[in-house]
Amino acid sequence: MRQGEKLTTNLDWPLLITYFLFLIMGMATVYSTSLDPDHPNLFDYSQKYGKQVVWLGVSLFLGLMVFLIDSTIYRKFAVPIYISTLVLLVIVLFMPPINGARAWLQIGGFGIQPAEFAKTGTALLLARYISSLNIKQQNLNSVLVANAIMFVPMILILLQPDAGTFVVFTSFLFVMYREGLTYDPLVLKLVNMIPGVKFKQTWVGTHFIPIMFAIVFLCIVTLLLSNNIITFNFLPGVEIPGFFGVILSLVVFCLIAFLFLRFISTKRERRRISTVIIIAFVLSASIASSVNYLFQGLKKHQKDRIELFLGLREDPNGEDYNRNRAMAAVGSGGLAGKGYTNASVATIESNHVPESETDFIFCPFAEEWGFIGTFILIGMYMFMFLRIIMIAERQRSRFNRVYAYSVVMILFYHLAVNIGMNIGFAPVIGIPLPFFSYGGSSMMSFSMLMFILLKLDSQRSHVLQ
Amino acid sequence: MNFDARKYVIIVFIITVGIIYIVRLFFMQVIDDSWTLRAQEIAEKRKQIVPPRGAIFDRNGVKVVSNRTYYNLMFIEDEVKNLDTAAFAQVLGWSKDSIAIRFKEIIKEQGTYRDKNDNYKTKSNYQSDRPYAFIKEMTLEEIATIAPHLDKFPGFYEEITSMRSYTYPNGANIFGYLSEVNEEEINEDHFYRRSDNIGRAGIERFYEKELRGQKGIRYIVTSARNNELKPYMDGIYDTIAKQGPNFKLGIDILLQEYGEKLMNGKRGCIVAIEPSTGEILALVSSPTYDPNLMVGNRNIAKNYPKLILDKDMPLFPRPLAAEYPPGSIFKLLQSLIGLQEGVITPNSGFPCNKSMVGCHNHPSAGNLSDAIKFSCNPYYYAVTRRILQQGKKTSVFADAEIGLNKWYQYMMSFGLGQKFDADATGLRPGLIPNSAYYDKWYGHLRWAFSTIRSISIGQGEVKLTPLQMANIACIIANKGWYYTPHFVKSIGQKGSLLQFRIKHRSMIDSKHFDPIIEGMRRVVYVNGGTGGKAKINNEEKIIVCGKTGTVQNPQGEDHAVFTCFAPMDKPKIAIAVFIENAGFGGTWAAPTASLMIEKYLTRKVKDKEKEKRILEASFKK
Ligand SMILES: [Zn+2]
């Protein structure tokens, strides 16, 4: 810290205030959903809200510590921090399982989830590695190292197993994409193994990450729709078979993309754009067809499992039962909600929605505050994400920028999956809603992520890296 | 290469997801109601609160039908844990086996359905997470021995229910009774749920919709284990149960009680009406039963079979539904029609010529009033012949047709031959024949007065209910009009029903009533009158005007009938007494009517000897 500089100099207040608003809203929701009328004191340590208050205190204390330390430490100590989180991830695998997963490390009376902290460790090391790369001279080695940083903790987490956090780790792919990390060396290596082929660069390798995501997305949509018949309320009598609907959407999507790109492109580029769009369409259509064909060819029990996972089938006692109840809680909120502490479906006491204070905390919030509440909540998250991207883009240090993108993508993933499973858009994989869900590990790890970002940002002018 | 443009890919991606989620939430929360219904299904329980029925008071403000708290011993199978059958049986005072039998019985009572989703298998409606009554309708004394032990038997609890209670053991056929609704009634009216009660007869049935009040609904948040947690949204959607309004009847319960006492040992009826209002003061149907015998399903199960099988038919509301030939009281109406039609005058005399019909020995009546006093049969043959055969057509048959239909119109205007629009159930219309009726019997233009002459003296085809007989006395007392006889004076703050406030006018001008009333006075007070026993205490303080009747009964002893009103100058009560198989009307029916009048007007009966004679009489075989 430079002489005479205050702790709050260059602090990004909008982000910090949003963070505090989330803490207050989250605390209020935890209190409401787990309220025991016999112990209404917020600070009653025998209750979940009492414990959450303690976690909040600890998180803010850690945040203050982060602020007192010079930000260069994170760059310097990225490797030891990363390795220690890996060690914790290994140790936790030898712990007795809780609810079928070896995710908890008991320290004293507290349980800690190393996976939550692994996100911070991975973000720091990835930032350090990418910032040290010369992006213009990437080789096979750089692709492999960057992916190893991401995949090693992912595999350890999958062993627990913790599918939710595993999925969240794929958010780092977006960060790599933003930084221009390319899979081209890997793709070239494979493609050039074919005799007679000698590419210098492939388009697929450069845009490997978004292409992968597009393919996964396309597959899921195809599976969701292929067995359905699409009808429209405003067009009675019109019935479109699901698969035809997928192809039709692709055609429409491509046409819109073509017109849009034509509008913004120069004359010279138009030919190329047409070719790319036609190739993209043919590829997508064939991928969708093969997925559809493969799915129809599956045995019944395999089909069932996929349909269950996608939420196409009711599983009366399993996860779909939980999702159905969660959706009932959310949907019954109406426009203005049932009022604070008036949730009837999503409370711990009624227990219709399990885990309504942790993974399903969006339920009591949506039930109590209605659409007005959920609109504001998602709006606030959107604001926070765009603010972090803005912060990321104003960094002169690539380390800082990579780290900031890691933060925003981790938070976004949590939001998308967590709320997605409350509204029937995502399978039920338990991951917490940032700053909301009850639980010490997630609260501390999200706070650490946030405070490190704020600290790095506040000292953005100090270092040129 | 510059990758800065790639930030837009990420920004667009994040914003797209945000917008999709917000749109989805808008549909789920604001547009689509099905999630709200699903949430109600999951987490709410509607609890119906059944209010006590409206209380019923008599005309003097005596509460005659009230509600009493009873207790159901309820259970929810899922909450019953390790039931110690022996101990439980001991607490109930049952044998050990009967506990299991009762459980089976409850399941059986719920009936079965065919499950569409499971190959149409027959399944029981019984659900182990729902409450059912293990023992219904226990009194406070009965529950008091059980309640202190209930905490030892989890899953069992007491529930309060309200049932009728009758202050007097009288008026059973007026009030009716309640019993559990059947499947059809539940489907027809969504007010009812299984094991609710519904009015089955009498006022309880006629005024069911008013008496039952308004049910309250409480919405309760329940847990996944079906525990009740708290009122839903602090109870803002709850509705409060509202008891039915208080009913005030025209019935005088003490008069009713006295009438039932007088009719003890006899089959028949007494109907007393206040002429100026049409309010029924007493409606005795004998034999009757104590309405408390039909309170609650336990009592009904025990007593209903006995009552329904009793050959004297205590459940049959005779005053409303029994149709008897009126006998000589019908002569009052023939006199009125004759005067109105102008075929006789108050001074018309006809000889007591016994060639066509028998008569008792009396001097020939020289005027109408005396004819009523003597109840001379040949006189009324002559009068009725003049009414029916007015010579308007040369053919005697065609003439009789015109005459009879005219006569029919008059009879209808007295409220005969049709059901009163009264607040009672099971009313019968009686029978007044018209030309169509006789055409069916004899053929068109194949009958004349001589064919149908027995209607002259209220025999033959003519039939009236005792209520109609009493109403005749009302019309005469009012000199030409009546209000539809009815029980209920007021419901809550509202008066009686509109239909009871409409004056019905007969086709007779009021001036023609004076000779009739004079004749009815002579029946009671002039030597040779047939109803001398209707005098009150053998004095003339309260003048009773009446008419005796003796209804020929081919099956046995004649029926006695007497209809009257009193006092003569300012009629306060009109009565019809009908006693089956009691013979001559003046002997038994007239004194019974006089006792009722005395009781009503003076509140006590002085003539203990007369009273004793009636009380001790019995005409039942
Ligand atoms: Zn005679």
Side-chain angles (χ1 to χ4, degrees):
Chain A
M1 209 182 289
R2 285 178 189 173
Q3 284 295 313
E5 198 175 63
K6 277 194 294 181
L7 208 57
T8 53
T9 309
N10 281 329
L11 184 63
D12 192 73
W13 284 105
L15 183 59
L16 188 64
I17 288 167
T18 317
Y19 164 78
F20 274 114
L21 284 177
F22 277 132
L23 290 193
I24 292 164
M25 288 161 75
M27 193 60 235
T29 311
V30 168
Y31 180 77
S32 161
T33 192
S34 53
L35 177 61
D36 179 346
D38 298 334
H39 302 88
N41 188 343
L42 178 64
F43 303 102
D44 189 331
Y45 189 68
S46 68
Q47 300 300 314
K48 297 215 163 167
Y49 29 91
K51 293 197 175 96
Q52 184 76 344
V53 167
V54 172
W55 291 126
L56 273 186
V58 171
S59 300
L60 291 174
F61 175 74
L62 288 175
L64 190 67
M65 299 313 291
V66 165
F67 249 76
L68 292 173
I69 300 166
D70 193 81
S71 66
T72 49
I73 191 175
Y74 303 111
R75 186 180 162 81
K76 281 180 199 151
F77 288 94
V79 178
I81 291 172
Y82 177 78
I83 290 181
S84 48
T85 56
L86 282 193
V87 169
L88 287 178
L89 283 177
V90 172
I91 291 174
V92 85
L93 293 178
F94 297 98
M95 291 293 137
I98 296 172
N99 292 333
R102 297 170 196 277
W104 294 85
L105 210 57
Q106 294 294 334
I107 300 173
F110 299 113
I112 284 201
Q113 290 171 286
E116 293 295 334
F117 298 98
K119 285 179 269 190
T120 316
T122 309
L124 287 173
L125 187 61
L126 199 65
R128 174 164 171 165
Y129 180 71
I130 291 175
S131 63
S132 68
L133 272 181
N134 182 350
I135 278 302
K136 285 170 187 136
Q137 289 170 1
Q138 290 183 62
N139 54 27
L140 191 59
N141 204 35
S142 59
V143 180
L144 293 179
V145 171
N147 277 285
I149 292 171
M150 185 185 80
F151 273 111
V152 172
M154 269 176 93
I155 288 161
L156 288 171
I157 286 164
L158 196 62
L159 289 173
Q160 292 183 356
D162 178 354
T165 312
F166 175 83
V167 170
V168 167
F169 265 74
T170 61
S171 61
F172 289 115
L173 290 169
F174 282 91
V175 181
M176 295 181 196
Y177 178 69
R178 164 65 188 89
E179 288 306 317
L181 217 72
T182 168
Y183 276 66
D184 213 26
L186 196 61
V187 174
L188 281 176
K189 183 95 184 165
L190 294 171
V191 171
N192 289 347
M193 276 158 71
I194 306 164
V197 180
K198 194 124 186 92
F199 283 115
K200 279 226 174 79
Q201 198 192 358
T202 62
W203 188 82
V204 174
T206 314
H207 297 283
F208 186 75
I209 291 165
I211 288 171
M212 279 309 296
F213 274 95
I215 290 173
V216 170
F217 180 73
L218 187 66
C219 292
I220 291 174
V221 169
T222 309
L223 285 174
L224 277 175
L225 293 179
S226 59
N227 269 4
N228 288 4
I229 287 181
I230 304 166
T231 54
F232 303 95
N233 284 339
F234 53 90
L235 283 176
V238 177
E239 289 182 353
I240 300 175
F243 179 67
F244 185 68
V246 173
I247 301 296
L248 201 70
S249 319
L250 278 174
V251 172
V252 172
F253 187 76
C254 287
L255 276 176
I256 291 170
F258 177 75
L259 291 173
F260 178 71
L261 289 171
R262 234 180 107 88
F263 183 72
I264 61 165
S265 61
T266 58
K267 264 187 185 163
R268 218 154 45 88
E269 290 168 330
R270 279 186 194 162
R271 250 184 98 87
R272 222 179 102 226
I273 286 167
S274 311
T275 324
V276 168
I277 284 179
I278 288 167
I279 292 171
F281 173 75
V282 171
L283 280 175
S284 324
S286 47
I287 288 168
S289 311
S290 43
V291 166
N292 187 39
Y293 177 79
L294 282 173
F295 181 70
Q296 304 302 341
L298 284 178
K299 295 213 173 73
K300 190 177 178 304
H301 70 273
Q302 291 168 318
K303 258 184 171 175
D304 286 351
R305 289 196 67 164
I306 290 173
E307 287 187 337
L308 208 57
F309 182 75
L310 293 170
L312 291 174
R313 188 160 295 209
E314 188 113 357
D315 170 14
N317 300 313
E319 280 165 356
D320 204 62
Y321 168 89
N322 295 346
R323 172 160 52 184
N324 183 281
R325 305 221 145 179
M327 288 171 77
V330 172
S332 68
L335 178 66
K338 296 179 185 172
Y340 186 59
T341 71
N342 270 339
S344 55
V345 182
T347 66
I348 293 203
E349 196 185 18
S350 73
N351 201 31
H352 294 296
V353 177
E355 315 260 346
S356 67
E357 80 284 22
T358 56
D359 294 345
F360 282 106
I361 197 156
F362 183 70
C363 283
F365 180 84
E367 196 179 349
E368 291 179 351
W369 300 99
F371 177 68
I372 292 171
T374 57
F375 179 82
I376 290 171
L377 183 79
I378 292 178
M380 280 172 68
Y381 273 112
M382 290 296 125
F383 171 79
M384 178 182 253
F385 298 161
L386 295 180
R387 184 77 201 171
I388 297 174
I389 290 174
M390 201 206 88
I391 288 170
E393 292 295 335
R394 77 182 175 201
Q395 303 302 316
R396 281 183 273 175
S397 143
R398 274 185 79 203
F399 175 82
N400 286 8
R401 189 172 72 198
V402 174
Y403 179 77
Y405 266 105
S406 303
V407 173
V408 73
M409 288 319 294
I410 289 168
L411 293 178
F412 170 73
Y413 257 63
H414 273 270
L415 175 85
V417 174
N418 185 289
I419 295 185
M421 68 188 187
N422 282 293
I423 60 178
F425 277 5
V428 178
I429 45 174
I431 59 171
L433 187 62
F435 317 119
F436 257 75
S437 292
Y438 168 79
S441 298
S442 64
M443 182 54 72
M444 285 192 289
S445 91
F446 285 125
S447 296
M448 295 280 282
L449 273 178
M450 192 54 69
F451 278 110
I452 292 172
L453 172 67
L454 285 165
K455 184 65 186 176
L456 289 173
D457 178 55
S458 71
Q459 296 187 332
R460 62 186 178 268
S461 52
H462 291 196
V463 276
L464 272 173
Q465 288 159 329
Chain B
M1 219 175 155
N2 186 355
F3 300 109
D4 278 353
R6 288 190 176 180
K7 73 178 176 199
Y8 294 112
V9 174
I10 290 173
I11 289 171
V12 167
F13 179 55
I14 287 176
I15 289 177
T16 309
V17 169
I19 290 171
I20 290 172
Y21 276 29
I22 284 172
V23 170
R24 168 71 170 173
L25 281 164
F26 182 73
F27 271 90
M28 276 179 74
Q29 297 190 290
V30 183
I31 308 277
D32 186 357
D33 283 340
S34 61
W35 291 112
T36 306
L37 298 175
R38 176 82 184 110
Q40 285 171 352
E41 216 173 278
I42 292 168
E44 285 168 34
K45 198 148 94 179
R46 278 163 53 107
K47 241 196 171 170
Q48 286 206 347
I49 321 272
V50 183
R53 288 171 80 87
I56 303 177
F57 297 81
D58 90 338
R59 67 186 297 111
N60 299 314
V62 179
K63 199 186 248 190
V64 288
V65 184
S66 54
N67 299 295
R68 206 154 131 194
T69 306
Y70 286 78
Y71 302 84
N72 292 336
L73 178 61
M74 309 295 291
F75 74 99
I76 299 173
E77 191 185 325
D78 284 353
E79 288 168 17
V80 175
K81 284 179 196 91
N82 311 320
L83 180 63
D84 181 347
T85 318
F88 190 55
Q90 203 193 345
V91 167
L92 299 185
W94 290 15
S95 75
K96 207 182 154 187
D97 301 335
S98 49
I99 303 284
I101 293 170
R102 176 63 189 144
F103 276 121
K104 274 186 199 146
E105 194 179 85
I106 291 163
I107 295 171
K108 210 175 140 201
E109 277 168 12
Q110 304 312 314
T112 55
Y113 71 103
R114 288 190 174 265
D115 190 352
K116 271 191 288 188
N117 302 320
D118 193 5
N119 294 325
Y120 292 90
K121 272 186 197 151
T122 305
K123 292 190 176 171
S124 176
N125 290 322
Y126 177 85
Q127 282 169 288
S128 62
D129 60 350
R130 292 256 174 102
Y132 294 96
F134 194 77
I135 306 175
K136 274 183 190 168
E137 300 157 1
M138 282 183 286
T139 60
L140 183 61
E141 296 78 53
E142 287 173 301
I143 194 79
T145 64
I146 299 172
H149 306 285
L150 279 181
D151 54 339
K152 282 174 238 153
F153 307 105
F156 286 87
Y157 60 97
E158 58 181 290
E159 185 192 74
I160 289 173
T161 168
S162 134
M163 291 201 301
R164 284 308 206 189
S165 167
Y166 302 90
T167 325
Y168 291 82
N170 308 108
N173 278 302
I174 300 170
F175 307 131
Y177 60 95
L178 305 168
S179 74
E180 265 182 28
V181 285
N182 57 38
E183 206 64 34
E184 207 175 302
E185 285 155 343
I186 293 171
N187 293 337
E188 221 166 75
D189 186 341
H190 295 297
F191 179 88
Y192 300 106
R193 291 288 188 84
R194 203 162 274 123
S195 88
D196 280 352
N197 285 324
I198 189 170
R200 282 283 170 235
I203 290 172
E204 297 279 19
R205 180 166 163 195
F206 189 88
Y207 290 104
E208 169 67 19
K209 286 214 164 77
E210 288 82 8
L211 282 168
R212 69 190 184 186
Q214 283 170 27
K215 275 186 181 175
I217 296 173
R218 281 170 59 209
Y219 295 90
I220 298 166
V221 175
T222 57
S223 74
R225 293 181 57 225
N226 207 23
N227 295 326
E228 294 176 9
L229 298 178
K230 58 177 178 185
Y232 175 66
M233 293 198 68
D234 294 331
I236 57 166
Y237 294 115
D238 293 3
T239 53
I240 294 168
K242 256 196 188 159
Q243 185 176 5
N246 285 340
F247 273 55
K248 189 162 193 179
L249 303 185
I251 294 289
D252 178 341
I253 193 66
L254 294 176
L255 185 66
Q256 177 73 24
E257 181 193 31
Y258 189 62
E260 288 186 20
K261 214 164 94 186
L262 293 177
M263 290 300 284
N264 194 21
K266 310 158 187 76
R267 273 191 304 262
C269 339
I270 302 174
V271 180
I273 304 175
E274 184 176 61
S276 59
T277 59
E279 287 162 16
I280 298 171
L281 301 168
L283 187 105
V284 178
S285 181
S286 184
T288 183
Y289 62 95
D290 180 348
N292 289 302
L293 291 179
M294 292 286 276
V295 172
N297 293 287
R298 279 160 83 200
N299 279 325
I300 290 175
K302 195 171 76 190
N303 296 318
Y304 183 78
K306 283 187 218 163
L307 292 170
I308 201 75
L309 291 173
D310 188 330
K311 68 175 170 45
D312 285 331
M313 299 190 294
L315 288 170
F316 180 58
R318 286 162 206 263
L320 311 171
E323 294 165 309
Y324 302 105
S328 298
I329 62 170
F330 209 51
K331 291 168 184 166
L332 298 170
L333 304 181
Q334 308 287 30
S335 312
L336 289 166
I337 299 169
L339 289 174
Q340 183 70 31
E341 282 291 293
V343 296
I344 56 166
T345 69
N347 298 317
S348 299
F350 295 99
C352 182
N353 173 358
K354 296 182 183 123
S355 65
M356 280 225 290
V357 60
C359 201
H360 52 101
N361 288 320
H362 65 91
S364 283
N367 59 53
L368 187 56
S369 301
D370 275 347
I372 292 169
K373 181 183 87 178
F374 295 132
S375 192
C376 179
N377 289 339
Y379 188 98
Y380 280 97
Y381 267 44
V383 172
T384 310
R385 180 197 293 275
R386 287 206 180 172
I387 295 169
L388 297 189
Q389 309 277 194
Q390 293 191 20
K392 291 190 173 148
K393 284 266 164 90
T394 44
S395 155
V396 69
F397 301 110
D399 194 38
E401 184 178 7
I402 294 170
L404 183 75
N405 287 340
K406 187 87 197 166
W407 175 85
Y408 177 78
Q409 291 302 320
Y410 279 107
M411 287 302 177
M412 294 293 283
S413 79
F414 297 128
L416 308 182
Q418 61 197 310
K419 281 187 210 174
F420 281 124
D421 196 7
D423 49 359
T425 53
L427 285 161
R428 295 283 304 160
L431 177 65
I432 299 295
N434 57 11
S435 65
Y437 182 88
Y438 286 120
D439 285 353
K440 226 182 276 165
W441 278 98
Y442 303 107
H444 187 51
L445 299 180
R446 303 278 297 272
W447 53 270
F449 169 75
S450 53
T451 331
I452 61 172
R453 60 193 178 198
S454 57
I455 63 169
S456 312
I457 54 167
Q459 295 288 162
E461 295 74 24
V462 175
K463 286 197 171 67
L464 269 64
T465 63
L467 184 66
Q468 288 169 329
M469 297 178 194
N471 194 49
I472 290 171
C474 284
I475 294 169
I476 296 169
N478 292 334
K479 298 189 179 178
W481 55 266
Y482 70 97
Y483 285 116
T484 300
H486 57 278
F487 291 114
V488 173
K489 239 172 134 74
S490 64
I491 303 170
Q493 302 302 315
K494 291 186 294 177
S496 65
L497 299 183
L498 181 65
Q499 76 221 48
F500 304 141
R501 285 178 271 152
I502 296 168
K503 233 180 216 184
H504 300 278
R505 295 192 180 278
S506 69
M507 289 161 66
I508 312 294
D509 296 340
S510 61
K511 61 179 181 199
H512 297 308
F513 283 88
D514 294 332
I516 311 301
I517 292 169
E518 171 56 21
M520 290 169 79
R521 189 192 68 80
R522 290 183 195 174
V523 166
V524 182
Y525 292 96
V526 174
N527 278 342
T530 52
K533 288 199 165 66
K535 257 183 275 190
I536 293 175
N537 300 325
N538 283 315
E539 30 180 88
E540 295 191 21
K541 266 190 193 156
I542 301 166
I543 305 267
V544 178
C545 301
K547 178 77 193 79
T548 57
T550 308
V551 179
Q552 289 162 21
N553 177 17
Q555 279 94 38
E557 195 67 41
D558 289 347
H559 305 313
V561 58
F562 189 73
T563 184
C564 62
F565 64 86
M568 182 179 180
D569 48 343
K570 226 180 174 186
K572 287 233 162 55
I573 179 169
I575 292 194
V577 177
F578 197 101
I579 308 175
E580 289 183 24
N581 312 114
F584 178 58
T587 317
W588 297 105
T592 304
S594 85
L595 288 167
M596 288 294 283
I597 292 169
E598 188 183 1
K599 176 78 182 173
Y600 180 66
L601 294 179
T602 70
R603 307 311 293 169
K604 58 180 187 288
V605 173
K606 278 192 196 157
D607 196 339
K608 293 295 171 192
E609 212 160 293
K610 190 198 256 181
E611 185 181 52
K612 191 170 168 242
R613 179 175 163 265
I614 301 296
L615 287 175
E616 284 171 357
S618 174
F619 304 98
K620 284 204 309 193
K621 271 171 242 145

